[in-house]
Every structure is written in structure tokens, then in C-alpha cells.
Amino acid sequence: MTRETATSLPVHTAHRHDARVPYGRAKPPTHRNLGLTPSWHVGALAAAAAIALVLGVWSMTQVDPLQIGGAGLIGVLPPAYFVALALSLAGFVASLALRRLVPALLTWQLLVTMVVLNGADPVIHGLPRLEASFRHLGIADNIAQTGQLDPTVDAYFNWPGFFDLLGMLSGATGAKDLMGIATWAPVGINILLLAPLLALARRLTANPRHAWAAVWIFYLASWIGQDYLAPQAYSFVLLLTLVACLLSVFGGWAWPTERSGFSRWLARNVSRLDGAVPRQGVLEPPRTDAAVLVVVCALIVLTMTVSHQLSPFALIPILAALLLTGRLRLRFLPVLAVILPVAWLLFAASTFLQGHFGQLLSSLGDIGANSFGALNTRVSGSDAHMFVVYTRIAEVALVWILAAIGAVVGYRRKTPWLAAAAAAFAPLLLIPLQSYGGELLLRLYLFSLPFAVCLVVLPLTSDKAAGLSLRRSLGLLLMGAVLATGTVVSRYGNDGMESFNDDEIAVVNHLYSTAPAGAILIEAVHNTPWRFQHYADYDYRTLIAAEPLPGAAPISCDSANQIAHRAGAYLIITESQLEAAELRGSTPAGDLQRFTASCATSPGWTKVFENAGGVIFHIEGVSNGN
Amino acid sequence: MATERSYVSYATAALAVAAIPLSFVGPEGLRLAVVGLLMLAGPGTALVLLLHFNPSRSTQATGALPLSIAIAVAFSLAMSTLVATAMIYARLWSPPVSVCILSIMTLGFLALDIKRPKHVLVRAK
């Protein structure tokens, strides 16, 4: 990285159609605020980060996964882990407080924080997190092997872009097993996010110190775990890059501000609310290069469209917000961002649309059900799980409250804030559309977070060129410590059911080696690390959803027998299914164990395999009279 | 910095050339590293070099490097995805061929960069 100064030089070239006064409070760098940091300070901070990394990884290797309880990882992490975390946080704030920012040092410290916070899956478990990771591997495997899409299998095949990418990687390298990539995905995705986050934060904040602090807060507050091997994580990287590129190259008003009464009114009010246009990170390429970048932006929108259902629709309000705040001059791009996903839904994903049309329409406009209703379904389960759920809610509330305070501070200090506030709020406009399987609020928090953190840091960072005061540094460290601790609780709160072990994988492998192709495979509770192979070769069924459903029938041998009635079936029950049922209250306490014990002796039920990770039963079909 | 640019250009070209045979044969680990890196950053790096996203010419260009890296990765991933998806829908699925297309695209951008007048630079602040 290039050496950065604590502020940007004043620049007199305004954006096209930009009627506002450039931000001009920051002082230009002088010999007084450049290069006064002794090298040994930088070396000591880099060494402290290295120690934090070693200590953090070592402490995670000391965790016994079998001891993980209902509160998740927080209950079993040794004190050394928190020492490592504290060291990484304090080191970053100390670097941020230096007179001269050292980007290489800050990058190194952020990488350490990423590994300490997101490295639990590869270090502790050595397997991918979430059963969805295994399914995603299976879809990629299916595509790599067949080279075809069957949109009737499930929704994923209607938005296959990300899986095509994985299938291409698998097919072109001969790597049949991408489990290692899935295991390290949380760390890898967060590393990929660093550059777009930094580029974005530069365009939304007044100086590099704000930008680095905002990126740091993003990593500390990003607890929702949408960084596993999934289309969401992939599209999020693309979305942030797109927005950063637009803000950097295509900033300014999309129309002459004097064209009409509305445009004059809009420009006047935007200027009155926030007359400060951040200059750092602005690029003014030649016309031909700008045209190439327009094509690049359009291709990124197209890639998001073919890869993920939700992200392109989240992009629309964000682009609209930037357009209306005079930060995006490409008028056609928001239009393209509407046309492409709608056209894809109508034509390429028509199979999905036909099968889910009623479901999509039923939740349209139901703001209560899509927001608080969906939230309520998640506020259930054991006491320990409830503690985790409330921590999550508190963390989201804290970030949004701090962002609101930051917006007020930005307004009063005449520091850039409006574009970040508008873009942070914009994704919430999706709430009336649908609940996205009850996950909409989680996803909206993710889309909102990169913009919200640019506001969160405002009260605790100064507009002054050099360093941070001791008071602000301590405040920033305190906020970082609270968010990081909250993230350890909330991100890994479901670790008991979201992580898997080798015994469970052995059970699943045994199931595939036993069951003939085309057989019905049943999971007792929807939380099995399967389908990473033979994705479309079996008829997969579920008895109980992981989330407790109102009015759902209790689990019984009869429900499994009915599925197996004609041709027989294989039933798999794993440790993680038991954990999920207990944590989320999918079934009454002990119900799944009773189900296993009573059904094992039922006529037609044969135990095929059992180990510490789970058990497989074969249920005979009509020949047994079930 | 011109030297650094040259190194990046040579490394990108070497990656693109090496990926072509490795997409057909070779040790799995090496194929995964080379082809994976090409899909992650090959065409995008070449494009960014072509666009001269070079912050070194200006002390004010402090924001160019993060954006350059971001665009290099996002464009590479986007092209990999779109090529793979196009082949699937066209019923022409052949992962090695799609890697060859990415390699040719990367080398094409690098060739354009060589031909391009060097005074065309991004003005950054």
C-alpha cells in the first residue's frame, strides 16, 4: 500500500454538476504531522499483532468442541483467547492514534483481527460451518459433473452463478472435494471484503483515519456469519466493490441541479444537510477508461443477478439513495439494477416463480410479519440460546443507535454523513417485500453495516489531521471491545448446532455408501451436514424444521413410516440435529431422544449404522406392512 | 513503481499462460492454486493495469489501491461466473475451455496495455 497521510490534500476540481462546497476543514499535511512516528513503534505494534495471532490461534486449538454448550463458543474459550483479542484491538487503536497512518501495519492488524474473530471454524472444528455450506458444495459438485441445471430441484438452480463458478473451479482443477475452501471461507471472504470496504469507507468519510476505523468496526460488528461459502457472501463482495467504484469514479449529481424546481430543491436541501463532499479516493479517469468502468459495473450487476436472489434487490435502494444524495451520476445504472433482476426472475427463474408465486405475494406489504413477526420466530429456545438471541438484538440496536448519533454529530460538525446515512437506511425499504424465509432482517443488517459503520465512528474520531486524543482512543477501544465481545457471543452462539465433527461426516458417508441411488433419505431435524455429494441422486426429506413452526405436528414414528410407506427409506439422526432441536426448541425437550429410542424397536426399523456422531435406520416399505 | 507494475504484468501473464495446460492436466494442488488464482484475480488485474489505476504518480492518490484491488477481484470473479454460466446455458459446459477463455482475456488486456500510450493515466485525488 502507499504511504498515507493523515488527511487529504485540498482539491479544487469539483464533481460534474456538483454545486456543493468541497469539504475543507482538514489541514494539509506538513512536516509536523508526517514521519514523526519512530520505526520501532511501528515494529512493536506489528509484533504485538503477531503475538495476538499466535496466541489467538493457539487458544482456539485448546477448545474441546464436545464441551460447547447452549451459549456457544463463549463458554469454552480460554482466557488466552480474550487476551489475544484485547491485544489485537488495542494494537489497532494505537496504530490509529499514531501521527502518521501506516496502511501496511493497519492491514496486518485487521488481518489478525479477522483470523482471531472468524477463524474458529477452521481452527477448532476443521469443517465448514452451517449445513448450508455442505449443500452448496453438493450443488457445485452436481453442476461440475453434469454441466446442466435442473431448476426443478430447488431455488439454487434458478440463480446458479456462484455454483457455476465453484463447478468451474472443481471441473478445471480436478478437485472433487472443495471442503477445505468451504472450511476457510469465513476467513477468506473477510479478507476479500477488506479492499472494497476500505475503498467504500474512503468515499463516505472525511479522512483515512475515519475510513480505517470504520472498516475495523465493520469486522467487529459483523456477527451474522453470512461469510460462509454461499452466494450471499459472494454477492456482498461484488455489491461493495460496485458501490465503491461508483462513488469513486461516478460521483456527483446525475442531472444539472438547476434543471427543474425539484432538482434545485433537492440539491439545496442535500447541500444544507451535508455540504461536505469527501475528496479522498476520488478518481477521474479518461473518458475511454470511464466507459470501460461503466461496462465493468454493468457486468458486476449482471453477475449479482445470476448469482443471488436478494442482493440485486438490495442494491436498488442503495443506488437510489446515492442518486438522490448527489453521489451517483450514472442515471441508467439504477434502472439497469431494476431491469436485470426482474427480467431474470420472469424468464430465467420462471420455474421458481411459478412454484412460489403465491408465497411471494402473500407476504408482500406485510411489514409486521416480515420484520417483527420474523424476529419473533427467532426469539425462542433454551435459556442459553435466548441469551445469545438477546445479545444479537442488542448488538444490532447498539450499532444502529450509534449510527444515528454519528449522523447527528456529522451534521453538526459538517463532516460527510448524509450519503452513508441514506445508504445505511435504504436496505430497510425491502422489508415490505417479503421475509426471505425469516432471515430478511439479518440480511438487511449486513447490507446496512458497511454504511452504518462510517457513521458509528464519527463521534469517536476527530477531524484533526494528526492522531487521536487519548480520550477518543479509549472511547474507540471501549466500543470495539464491547462489539467484539458481543460478536463472539452472537456469531458463535449457535456453534453447537452450526458446527459439525468427523463422526457426523462418517455417518453421512456411510448413508451414501449404504442407500441405493434414488432412495428416500430422511433427516429427523433440518440440520444435517449432507448433500455435499449426490445432490440430486436421492429424494431428501425432513421431519422437523429447525425453526419451531406454529401448529407443526410432533415428531413420531408414524411420520417417518408414512414417508417410507411405498419404497422404504433411510432415516438419519445426528448430534447436530439433537443440538438444533434443543437450542431452538424445534421439539419439546428430550422428544428427539424418545423418538429415537421408541422407533428403534418399531417393526420394519433396522439400525444400519451408529457412532458417536449419529445413527442411521432403514425403514422398510409396504412389503413390511407399514 | 514502474518496475512493480512490470512485475505484476509478468506475474499475471505467467499465471494466464500456466493456467491453460493446468486446466487440463497436472497435480491437483498446483492446478487448484494456479487456476484458482486466475479465476480470483487474473482478468481483473490485467484490466486494472490497462486502466492505469496507479496511485504512485500523485501524492493525492491515496484511494486508488484499495479500489484497484477490489475491482481486480470483482471483475475476475464476475467474468469467471459469467463465462461458466454462459457455457451452462449454452449447453457447452467445459471447465478447461472456460479457463482458457479467461486466460486469453487476461493476455488480451495485457497486450492492449503494452500498446496503450503510457501518458494516459488516471487522475486521482
PDB file of all heavy atoms in Angstrom, chain A residues 405-429:
ATOM      1  N   ILE A 405     -26.532   8.488  16.180  1.00  0.00           N
ATOM      2  CA  ILE A 405     -25.781   9.534  16.890  1.00  0.00           C
ATOM      3  C   ILE A 405     -24.692  10.094  15.982  1.00  0.00           C
ATOM      4  O   ILE A 405     -24.465  11.311  15.915  1.00  0.00           O
ATOM      5  CB  ILE A 405     -25.166   8.966  18.194  1.00  0.00           C
ATOM      6  CG1 ILE A 405     -26.282   8.578  19.164  1.00  0.00           C
ATOM      7  CG2 ILE A 405     -24.203   9.963  18.833  1.00  0.00           C
ATOM      8  CD1 ILE A 405     -25.808   7.802  20.377  1.00  0.00           C
ATOM      9  N   GLY A 406     -24.037   9.204  15.265  1.00  0.00           N
ATOM     10  CA  GLY A 406     -22.983   9.627  14.336  1.00  0.00           C
ATOM     11  C   GLY A 406     -23.509  10.556  13.254  1.00  0.00           C
ATOM     12  O   GLY A 406     -22.830  11.511  12.860  1.00  0.00           O
ATOM     13  N   ALA A 407     -24.730  10.284  12.781  1.00  0.00           N
ATOM     14  CA  ALA A 407     -25.322  11.149  11.754  1.00  0.00           C
ATOM     15  C   ALA A 407     -25.544  12.546  12.308  1.00  0.00           C
ATOM     16  O   ALA A 407     -25.256  13.551  11.630  1.00  0.00           O
ATOM     17  CB  ALA A 407     -26.631  10.539  11.270  1.00  0.00           C
ATOM     18  N   VAL A 408     -26.016  12.617  13.544  1.00  0.00           N
ATOM     19  CA  VAL A 408     -26.234  13.932  14.175  1.00  0.00           C
ATOM     20  C   VAL A 408     -24.896  14.655  14.357  1.00  0.00           C
ATOM     21  O   VAL A 408     -24.770  15.854  14.059  1.00  0.00           O
ATOM     22  CB  VAL A 408     -26.952  13.752  15.539  1.00  0.00           C
ATOM     23  CG1 VAL A 408     -27.040  15.087  16.271  1.00  0.00           C
ATOM     24  CG2 VAL A 408     -28.332  13.156  15.327  1.00  0.00           C
ATOM     25  N   VAL A 409     -23.896  13.908  14.824  1.00  0.00           N
ATOM     26  CA  VAL A 409     -22.569  14.508  15.012  1.00  0.00           C
ATOM     27  C   VAL A 409     -22.010  14.998  13.681  1.00  0.00           C
ATOM     28  O   VAL A 409     -21.443  16.092  13.581  1.00  0.00           O
ATOM     29  CB  VAL A 409     -21.610  13.474  15.657  1.00  0.00           C
ATOM     30  CG1 VAL A 409     -20.169  13.976  15.639  1.00  0.00           C
ATOM     31  CG2 VAL A 409     -22.042  13.184  17.091  1.00  0.00           C
ATOM     32  N   GLY A 410     -22.184  14.173  12.641  1.00  0.00           N
ATOM     33  CA  GLY A 410     -21.699  14.567  11.315  1.00  0.00           C
ATOM     34  C   GLY A 410     -22.364  15.838  10.828  1.00  0.00           C
ATOM     35  O   GLY A 410     -21.707  16.726  10.266  1.00  0.00           O
ATOM     36  N   TYR A 411     -23.662  15.928  11.046  1.00  0.00           N
ATOM     37  CA  TYR A 411     -24.409  17.130  10.644  1.00  0.00           C
ATOM     38  C   TYR A 411     -23.893  18.361  11.380  1.00  0.00           C
ATOM     39  O   TYR A 411     -23.663  19.415  10.785  1.00  0.00           O
ATOM     40  CB  TYR A 411     -25.893  16.906  10.926  1.00  0.00           C
ATOM     41  CG  TYR A 411     -26.736  18.126  10.711  1.00  0.00           C
ATOM     42  CD1 TYR A 411     -26.995  18.608   9.431  1.00  0.00           C
ATOM     43  CD2 TYR A 411     -27.283  18.810  11.803  1.00  0.00           C
ATOM     44  CE1 TYR A 411     -27.764  19.732   9.235  1.00  0.00           C
ATOM     45  CE2 TYR A 411     -28.060  19.945  11.621  1.00  0.00           C
ATOM     46  CZ  TYR A 411     -28.296  20.407  10.330  1.00  0.00           C
ATOM     47  OH  TYR A 411     -29.056  21.523  10.139  1.00  0.00           O
ATOM     48  N   ARG A 412     -23.674  18.198  12.682  1.00  0.00           N
ATOM     49  CA  ARG A 412     -23.248  19.350  13.475  1.00  0.00           C
ATOM     50  C   ARG A 412     -21.801  19.732  13.179  1.00  0.00           C
ATOM     51  O   ARG A 412     -21.443  20.903  13.237  1.00  0.00           O
ATOM     52  CB  ARG A 412     -23.421  19.045  14.959  1.00  0.00           C
ATOM     53  CG  ARG A 412     -24.893  18.862  15.331  1.00  0.00           C
ATOM     54  CD  ARG A 412     -25.086  18.574  16.783  1.00  0.00           C
ATOM     55  NE  ARG A 412     -24.663  19.683  17.624  1.00  0.00           N
ATOM     56  CZ  ARG A 412     -24.839  19.735  18.917  1.00  0.00           C
ATOM     57  NH1 ARG A 412     -25.462  18.745  19.533  1.00  0.00           N
ATOM     58  NH2 ARG A 412     -24.419  20.756  19.603  1.00  0.00           N
ATOM     59  N   ARG A 413     -20.968  18.727  12.881  1.00  0.00           N
ATOM     60  CA  ARG A 413     -19.548  19.012  12.618  1.00  0.00           C
ATOM     61  C   ARG A 413     -19.276  19.359  11.163  1.00  0.00           C
ATOM     62  O   ARG A 413     -18.144  19.629  10.787  1.00  0.00           O
ATOM     63  CB  ARG A 413     -18.701  17.782  12.989  1.00  0.00           C
ATOM     64  CG  ARG A 413     -18.332  17.756  14.423  1.00  0.00           C
ATOM     65  CD  ARG A 413     -17.178  16.873  14.832  1.00  0.00           C
ATOM     66  NE  ARG A 413     -16.716  15.807  13.996  1.00  0.00           N
ATOM     67  CZ  ARG A 413     -16.338  14.622  14.461  1.00  0.00           C
ATOM     68  NH1 ARG A 413     -16.436  14.361  15.749  1.00  0.00           N
ATOM     69  NH2 ARG A 413     -15.858  13.712  13.658  1.00  0.00           N
ATOM     70  N   LYS A 414     -20.344  19.270  10.333  1.00  0.00           N
ATOM     71  CA  LYS A 414     -20.200  19.489   8.886  1.00  0.00           C
ATOM     72  C   LYS A 414     -19.171  18.541   8.280  1.00  0.00           C
ATOM     73  O   LYS A 414     -18.349  18.914   7.447  1.00  0.00           O
ATOM     74  CB  LYS A 414     -19.856  20.935   8.576  1.00  0.00           C
ATOM     75  CG  LYS A 414     -20.910  21.930   9.049  1.00  0.00           C
ATOM     76  CD  LYS A 414     -20.678  23.281   8.469  1.00  0.00           C
ATOM     77  CE  LYS A 414     -21.652  24.314   9.050  1.00  0.00           C
ATOM     78  NZ  LYS A 414     -23.057  23.862   9.010  1.00  0.00           N
ATOM     79  N   THR A 415     -19.252  17.309   8.738  1.00  0.00           N
ATOM     80  CA  THR A 415     -18.433  16.220   8.214  1.00  0.00           C
ATOM     81  C   THR A 415     -19.339  15.354   7.336  1.00  0.00           C
ATOM     82  O   THR A 415     -20.530  15.259   7.621  1.00  0.00           O
ATOM     83  CB  THR A 415     -17.892  15.369   9.393  1.00  0.00           C
ATOM     84  OG1 THR A 415     -17.015  16.185  10.156  1.00  0.00           O
ATOM     85  CG2 THR A 415     -17.146  14.160   8.925  1.00  0.00           C
ATOM     86  N   PRO A 416     -18.825  14.711   6.286  1.00  0.00           N
ATOM     87  CA  PRO A 416     -19.695  13.903   5.421  1.00  0.00           C
ATOM     88  C   PRO A 416     -20.472  12.839   6.221  1.00  0.00           C
ATOM     89  O   PRO A 416     -19.882  12.093   6.991  1.00  0.00           O
ATOM     90  CB  PRO A 416     -18.696  13.226   4.474  1.00  0.00           C
ATOM     91  CG  PRO A 416     -17.520  14.117   4.456  1.00  0.00           C
ATOM     92  CD  PRO A 416     -17.444  14.747   5.804  1.00  0.00           C
ATOM     93  N   TRP A 417     -21.790  12.791   6.012  1.00  0.00           N
ATOM     94  CA  TRP A 417     -22.597  11.819   6.750  1.00  0.00           C
ATOM     95  C   TRP A 417     -23.826  11.391   5.955  1.00  0.00           C
ATOM     96  O   TRP A 417     -24.318  10.264   6.103  1.00  0.00           O
ATOM     97  CB  TRP A 417     -23.077  12.405   8.092  1.00  0.00           C
ATOM     98  CG  TRP A 417     -24.069  13.528   7.930  1.00  0.00           C
ATOM     99  CD1 TRP A 417     -23.791  14.834   7.744  1.00  0.00           C
ATOM    100  CD2 TRP A 417     -25.492  13.415   7.909  1.00  0.00           C
ATOM    101  NE1 TRP A 417     -24.943  15.565   7.603  1.00  0.00           N
ATOM    102  CE2 TRP A 417     -26.012  14.713   7.707  1.00  0.00           C
ATOM    103  CE3 TRP A 417     -26.388  12.358   8.057  1.00  0.00           C
ATOM    104  CZ2 TRP A 417     -27.374  14.974   7.634  1.00  0.00           C
ATOM    105  CZ3 TRP A 417     -27.751  12.615   7.990  1.00  0.00           C
ATOM    106  CH2 TRP A 417     -28.230  13.916   7.781  1.00  0.00           C
ATOM    107  N   LEU A 418     -24.360  12.266   5.108  1.00  0.00           N
ATOM    108  CA  LEU A 418     -25.676  12.019   4.520  1.00  0.00           C
ATOM    109  C   LEU A 418     -25.699  10.795   3.603  1.00  0.00           C
ATOM    110  O   LEU A 418     -26.614   9.973   3.674  1.00  0.00           O
ATOM    111  CB  LEU A 418     -26.138  13.257   3.750  1.00  0.00           C
ATOM    112  CG  LEU A 418     -27.554  13.186   3.184  1.00  0.00           C
ATOM    113  CD1 LEU A 418     -28.586  12.992   4.277  1.00  0.00           C
ATOM    114  CD2 LEU A 418     -27.874  14.433   2.367  1.00  0.00           C
ATOM    115  N   ALA A 419     -24.693  10.661   2.749  1.00  0.00           N
ATOM    116  CA  ALA A 419     -24.683   9.521   1.826  1.00  0.00           C
ATOM    117  C   ALA A 419     -24.614   8.212   2.602  1.00  0.00           C
ATOM    118  O   ALA A 419     -25.318   7.243   2.281  1.00  0.00           O
ATOM    119  CB  ALA A 419     -23.501   9.641   0.867  1.00  0.00           C
ATOM    120  N   ALA A 420     -23.776   8.182   3.640  1.00  0.00           N
ATOM    121  CA  ALA A 420     -23.673   6.959   4.455  1.00  0.00           C
ATOM    122  C   ALA A 420     -24.993   6.663   5.151  1.00  0.00           C
ATOM    123  O   ALA A 420     -25.451   5.511   5.195  1.00  0.00           O
ATOM    124  CB  ALA A 420     -22.550   7.115   5.479  1.00  0.00           C
ATOM    125  N   ALA A 421     -25.632   7.717   5.678  1.00  0.00           N
ATOM    126  CA  ALA A 421     -26.908   7.518   6.383  1.00  0.00           C
ATOM    127  C   ALA A 421     -27.988   7.039   5.421  1.00  0.00           C
ATOM    128  O   ALA A 421     -28.749   6.107   5.733  1.00  0.00           O
ATOM    129  CB  ALA A 421     -27.333   8.818   7.052  1.00  0.00           C
ATOM    130  N   ALA A 422     -28.050   7.657   4.241  1.00  0.00           N
ATOM    131  CA  ALA A 422     -29.075   7.257   3.269  1.00  0.00           C
ATOM    132  C   ALA A 422     -28.869   5.818   2.816  1.00  0.00           C
ATOM    133  O   ALA A 422     -29.822   5.036   2.714  1.00  0.00           O
ATOM    134  CB  ALA A 422     -29.037   8.204   2.070  1.00  0.00           C
ATOM    135  N   ALA A 423     -27.609   5.452   2.550  1.00  0.00           N
ATOM    136  CA  ALA A 423     -27.334   4.085   2.081  1.00  0.00           C
ATOM    137  C   ALA A 423     -27.528   3.061   3.197  1.00  0.00           C
ATOM    138  O   ALA A 423     -27.908   1.915   2.936  1.00  0.00           O
ATOM    139  CB  ALA A 423     -25.917   4.001   1.529  1.00  0.00           C
ATOM    140  N   ALA A 424     -27.273   3.459   4.446  1.00  0.00           N
ATOM    141  CA  ALA A 424     -27.494   2.534   5.569  1.00  0.00           C
ATOM    142  C   ALA A 424     -28.981   2.289   5.788  1.00  0.00           C
ATOM    143  O   ALA A 424     -29.403   1.185   6.140  1.00  0.00           O
ATOM    144  CB  ALA A 424     -26.862   3.111   6.842  1.00  0.00           C
ATOM    145  N   PHE A 425     -29.775   3.324   5.555  1.00  0.00           N
ATOM    146  CA  PHE A 425     -31.223   3.197   5.766  1.00  0.00           C
ATOM    147  C   PHE A 425     -31.901   2.502   4.582  1.00  0.00           C
ATOM    148  O   PHE A 425     -32.896   1.790   4.750  1.00  0.00           O
ATOM    149  CB  PHE A 425     -31.827   4.591   5.969  1.00  0.00           C
ATOM    150  CG  PHE A 425     -33.323   4.603   6.082  1.00  0.00           C
ATOM    151  CD1 PHE A 425     -33.946   4.196   7.254  1.00  0.00           C
ATOM    152  CD2 PHE A 425     -34.114   4.989   5.015  1.00  0.00           C
ATOM    153  CE1 PHE A 425     -35.330   4.189   7.360  1.00  0.00           C
ATOM    154  CE2 PHE A 425     -35.502   4.989   5.103  1.00  0.00           C
ATOM    155  CZ  PHE A 425     -36.108   4.583   6.282  1.00  0.00           C
ATOM    156  N   ALA A 426     -31.353   2.702   3.388  1.00  0.00           N
ATOM    157  CA  ALA A 426     -32.027   2.261   2.153  1.00  0.00           C
ATOM    158  C   ALA A 426     -32.414   0.777   2.142  1.00  0.00           C
ATOM    159  O   ALA A 426     -33.538   0.440   1.730  1.00  0.00           O
ATOM    160  CB  ALA A 426     -31.148   2.594   0.944  1.00  0.00           C
ATOM    161  N   PRO A 427     -31.544  -0.146   2.582  1.00  0.00           N
ATOM    162  CA  PRO A 427     -31.944  -1.558   2.515  1.00  0.00           C
ATOM    163  C   PRO A 427     -33.208  -1.878   3.313  1.00  0.00           C
ATOM    164  O   PRO A 427     -33.907  -2.844   3.001  1.00  0.00           O
ATOM    165  CB  PRO A 427     -30.734  -2.299   3.095  1.00  0.00           C
ATOM    166  CG  PRO A 427     -29.586  -1.381   2.870  1.00  0.00           C
ATOM    167  CD  PRO A 427     -30.145   0.000   3.025  1.00  0.00           C
ATOM    168  N   LEU A 428     -33.509  -1.055   4.322  1.00  0.00           N
ATOM    169  CA  LEU A 428     -34.703  -1.323   5.133  1.00  0.00           C
ATOM    170  C   LEU A 428     -35.983  -1.188   4.310  1.00  0.00           C
ATOM    171  O   LEU A 428     -37.037  -1.681   4.714  1.00  0.00           O
ATOM    172  CB  LEU A 428     -34.753  -0.388   6.340  1.00  0.00           C
ATOM    173  CG  LEU A 428     -33.548  -0.452   7.289  1.00  0.00           C
ATOM    174  CD1 LEU A 428     -33.765   0.452   8.492  1.00  0.00           C
ATOM    175  CD2 LEU A 428     -33.308  -1.876   7.773  1.00  0.00           C
ATOM    176  N   LEU A 429     -35.889  -0.528   3.162  1.00  0.00           N
ATOM    177  CA  LEU A 429     -37.065  -0.388   2.303  1.00  0.00           C
ATOM    178  C   LEU A 429     -37.506  -1.728   1.721  1.00  0.00           C
ATOM    179  O   LEU A 429     -38.591  -1.835   1.144  1.00  0.00           O
ATOM    180  CB  LEU A 429     -36.769   0.603   1.170  1.00  0.00           C
ATOM    181  CG  LEU A 429     -36.449   2.040   1.620  1.00  0.00           C
ATOM    182  CD1 LEU A 429     -36.059   2.894   0.430  1.00  0.00           C
ATOM    183  CD2 LEU A 429     -37.645   2.652   2.345  1.00  0.00           C
TER     184      LEU A 429
END
